[in-house]
Amino acid sequence: MKLDARGLSCPEPVIRTKTAVESQSPASISVVVDNQASQENVQRFLESQGFKTALSKEGDDFFVLGDREKMPDTTPSAADEDPEETPEKILVFCSTDRIGFGDDELGKKLMISFIKTLNEMGTDLWKLVLVNNGVKLSIEGSEVLAEIQALEKAGVSVMVCGTCLTHFDLMEQKRVGETTNMLDIVTAMHLAGKVIKM
């Protein structure tokens, strides 16, 4: 099966891929996109559905080839079955690299303090989502890069908006987190027990 998703804005390429996989259950699929963020999103989705993926690039086009290895395992885990053992899923949504308005330097200092304090949530902190100007927290030179990397190493899922990285021309400077799309972000917000917006 072949799917041409060039020229589509995020998250349309991954949504079309999801629709094709769910409606047609192909054993193999080839998806062509025209930017790295879409390539990473489509590849990650296919792998989550049991596809073994391979990549190729021709000019500005990225080709994601997927061959299904097996159906994804949807068996509930022990943690899913025992709510007493499941920590609260807190998602922190950062759409900026500073907190508040009035003084930008103060706002940046407050955000640095906030990020450095996130580990106090312990295992309740589930995901950190960075969008718009917030993606600048994930790049080389960020004053909180080490702290975000430590959170990720401790098991926190760090989701960084691919459209935003592309907009600011920062894709190559990202040093932490998974490049993601709005479909994944909305799904994560829906599954979270609590969403904290900054």
Side-chain angles (χ1 to χ4, degrees), residues 18 91 126-127 182-192:
K18 179 177 184 286
L91 182 149
W126 178 51
K127 290 187 184 289
M182 204 53 69
L183 176 64
D184 289 346
I185 291 170
V186 169
T187 300
M189 292 176 81
H190 177 73
L191 293 173

Side-chain angles (χ1 to χ4, degrees), residues 120-139:
E120 296 301 317
M121 290 187 185
T123 57
D124 285 346
L125 180 58
W126 178 51
K127 290 187 184 289
L128 174 62
V129 177
L130 305 175
V131 302
N132 206 327
N133 214 36
V135 301
K136 293 178 180 178
L137 299 170
S138 72
I139 65 170

Side-chain angles (χ1 to χ4, degrees), residues 76-142:
S77 67
D80 293 333
E81 294 170 0
D82 188 358
E84 293 293 323
E85 297 296 319
T86 305
E88 180 171 15
K89 291 181 176 180
I90 297 177
L91 182 149
V92 175
F93 184 90
C94 292
S95 59
T96 181
D97 63 349
R98 64 203 72 194
I99 294 177
F101 302 95
D103 186 302
D104 284 346
E105 287 306 310
L106 174 60
K108 286 182 179 181
K109 287 178 183 177
L110 291 172
M111 181 59 82
I112 289 168
S113 294
F114 177 77
I115 295 294
K116 288 184 174 184
T117 311
L118 279 178
N119 62 352
E120 296 301 317
M121 290 187 185
T123 57
D124 285 346
L125 180 58
W126 178 51
K127 290 187 184 289
L128 174 62
V129 177
L130 305 175
V131 302
N132 206 327
N133 214 36
V135 301
K136 293 178 180 178
L137 299 170
S138 72
I139 65 170
E140 188 173 323
S142 163

Side-chain angles (χ1 to χ4, degrees), residues 8 38 54 73-74 83 85 93 110 122 136 141 150 157 167 176 182-183:
L8 300 176
S38 292
D73 182 11
T74 57
E85 297 296 319
F93 184 90
L110 291 172
K136 293 178 180 178
S157 170
H167 175 80
V176 65
M182 204 53 69
L183 176 64

Side-chain angles (χ1 to χ4, degrees), residues 56-67:
S56 63
K57 189 171 188 292
E58 293 178 19
D60 293 332
D61 296 335
F62 296 83
F63 293 83
V64 184
L65 310 172
D67 287 305

